[in-house]
């Protein structure tokens, strides 16, 4: 853009009388340099590919696709279960019910074991993947347990804050912690998690967003807004009816076929979508 300097005659005369040259005015339109080291999250569009049946009674807290089957952990006191489901039909092939005192949360399948969190009991469970037999319980420091996934080396879980914790899968001791941030500050309400091609994808509770998180830095590098998915697929809006579909929650990845599945708490359908996978 061109800049024009306007000199007013009286000012020039005054400057000449004082023996000094007039100073050019500075442009107020000069853009400030962006010194924020955290890049703005990229917008990730979504495509709806397919849909499958899902139990409207499943208060989804954890979801993972392994060896052609969906593993799901559900919440609520008295009805929390761990299930192995058939994708095409939604049929429950295997299940384990938690004690009524536990509110089930995130799950992850790693090797021949299934790991599961509980909400506020500070207790987690490890099961045999094949039989669903409880192998052991473990405790964790966080006040609450939310989402869970793994990167083939560590168990990763969140507690609803802006923190994600990495655990040794054998000792279940904390190895490291990352803080989830974007260029505006900490990002909280990190819910269900899925590890996809080196990144952590996360539902953000009370939103229809899926966040893409760099596990090396904690930066939110991408954001997918799925708010139109409900309208497009006939999922009713969130209401006060406790049996009605609630928030979007649940991400599963089929690494062999490069497919992403999503659902929500008490949603009657599960959807295959394409993000940036």
């Amino acid at each position: 853009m061109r800049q024009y300097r306007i000199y007013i005659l009286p000012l020039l005369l005054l400057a000449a009388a004082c023996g000094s040259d007039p100073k050019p005015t500075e442009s107020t339109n000069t853009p400030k340099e962006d010194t924020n080291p955290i890049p703005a999250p990229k917008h990730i569009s979504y495509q709806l590919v397919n849909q499958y049946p899902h139990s409207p009674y499943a208060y989804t807290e954890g979801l993972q696709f392994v060896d052609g089957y969906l593993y799901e952990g559900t919440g609520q006191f008295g009805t929390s279960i761990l299930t192995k489901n058939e994708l095409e039909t939604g049929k429950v092939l295997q299940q384990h019910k938690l004690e009524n005192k536990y509110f089930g949360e995130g799950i992850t399948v790693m090797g021949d074991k299934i790991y599961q969190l509980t909400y506020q009991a500070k207790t987690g469970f490890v099961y045999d993947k094949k039989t669903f037999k409880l192998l052991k319980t473990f405790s964790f420091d966080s006040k609450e347990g939310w989402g869970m996934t793994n990167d083939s080396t560590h168990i990763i879980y969140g507690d609803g804050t802006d923190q994600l914790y990495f655990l040794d899968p054998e000792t279940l001791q904390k190895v490291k912690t990352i803080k989830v941030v974007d260029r505006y500050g900490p990002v909280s309400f990190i819910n269900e998690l899925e590890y996809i091609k080196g990144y952590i994808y996360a539902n953000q509770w009370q939103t229809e967003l899926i966040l893409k998180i760099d596990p090396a830095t904690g930066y939110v590098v991408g954001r997918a807004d799925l708010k139109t998915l409900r309208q497009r697929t006939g999922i009713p809006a969130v209401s006060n009816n406790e049996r009605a579909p609630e928030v979007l929650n649940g991400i599963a990845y089929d690494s062999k076929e490069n497919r992403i599945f999503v659902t929500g708490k008490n949603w009657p359908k599960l959807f295959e979508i394409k993000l940036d996978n």
Side-chain angles (χ1 to χ4, degrees):
M1 180 178 69
R2 294 183 180 180
Q3 294 180 332
Y4 298 92
R5 296 175 181 172
I6 302 175
Y7 299 100
I8 303 174
L9 184 58
L11 292 178
L12 290 174
L13 293 175
L14 179 60
C18 295
S20 61
D21 295 327
K23 294 181 179 180
T25 57
E26 295 183 359
S27 170
T28 59
N29 296 325
T30 302
K32 294 182 179 180
E33 183 181 357
D34 185 358
T35 58
N36 193 323
I38 303 177
K42 294 182 178 179
H43 169 71
I44 302 173
S45 61
Y46 84 91
Q47 299 175 34
L48 179 60
V49 179
N50 211 338
Q51 63 182 30
Y52 304 92
H54 180 254
S55 172
Y57 305 106
Y59 196 80
T60 307
E61 298 290 359
L63 195 69
Q64 191 170 343
F65 188 89
V66 181
D67 299 331
Y69 298 100
L70 276 167
Y71 292 80
E72 184 169 17
T74 69
Q76 301 291 24
F77 291 108
T79 58
S80 293
I81 57 175
L82 170 68
T83 62
K84 176 182 178 181
N85 308 320
E86 195 172 64
L87 172 65
E88 290 77 12
T89 65
K91 180 181 178 181
V92 175
L93 303 175
Q94 200 169 350
Q95 77 172 40
H96 169 79
K97 185 180 181 301
L98 276 65
E99 293 182 54
N100 291 346
K101 65 180 180 179
Y102 293 120
F103 187 118
E105 280 286 344
I107 67 163
T108 192
V109 182
M110 184 174 177
D112 59 356
K113 297 181 178 66
I114 303 172
Y115 300 80
Q116 184 177 34
L117 295 175
T118 58
Y119 180 35
Q120 293 179 322
K122 296 186 177 182
T123 301
F125 305 110
V126 183
Y127 306 93
D128 179 270
K129 175 188 168 188
K130 184 177 180 180
T131 65
F132 278 25
K133 178 183 177 181
L134 179 63
L135 300 177
K136 65 178 177 179
T137 63
F138 65 96
S139 59
F140 52 90
D141 296 334
S142 303
K143 291 183 179 179
E144 298 179 352
W146 284 41
M148 203 178 208
T149 189
N150 75 82
D151 61 2
S152 298
T153 301
H154 304 101
I155 302 297
I156 306 168
Y157 84 92
D159 58 3
T161 68
D162 58 344
Q163 308 285 324
L164 290 178
Y165 308 94
F166 291 65
L167 306 180
D168 180 283
E170 294 300 324
T171 66
L172 295 165
Q173 296 300 304
K174 193 182 301 179
V175 175
K176 69 173 183 176
T177 302
I178 63 171
K179 188 180 184 71
V180 182
V181 296
D182 61 17
R183 64 189 296 110
Y184 305 107
V187 179
S188 300
F189 296 134
I190 304 301
N191 208 351
E192 215 277 315
L193 308 173
E194 183 73 10
Y195 193 82
I196 303 174
K197 294 184 175 181
Y199 292 91
I200 299 169
Y201 288 67
N203 290 118
Q204 187 179 35
W205 186 55
Q206 294 185 329
T207 77
E208 305 295 336
L209 298 175
I210 291 179
L211 308 179
K212 182 179 181 181
I213 302 164
D214 184 343
T217 61
Y219 294 170
V220 177
V221 298
R223 184 181 283 118
D225 190 342
L226 273 65
K227 64 184 177 184
T228 61
L229 182 63
R230 301 179 81 110
Q231 293 83 5
R232 292 178 62 187
T233 59
I235 303 295
V238 176
S239 71
N240 292 327
N241 184 341
E242 64 179 17
R243 285 299 184 186
E246 289 196 18
V247 296
L248 179 77
N249 199 52
I251 310 169
Y253 180 58
D254 175 6
S255 59
K256 292 182 179 179
E257 299 294 333
N258 192 29
R259 299 184 294 177
I260 293 177
F261 304 102
V262 298
T263 190
K265 300 174 186 287
N266 296 341
W267 282 28
K269 299 176 184 178
L270 177 137
F271 303 100
E272 179 188 342
I273 63 170
K274 184 173 180 61
L275 296 175
D276 55 353
N277 53 305

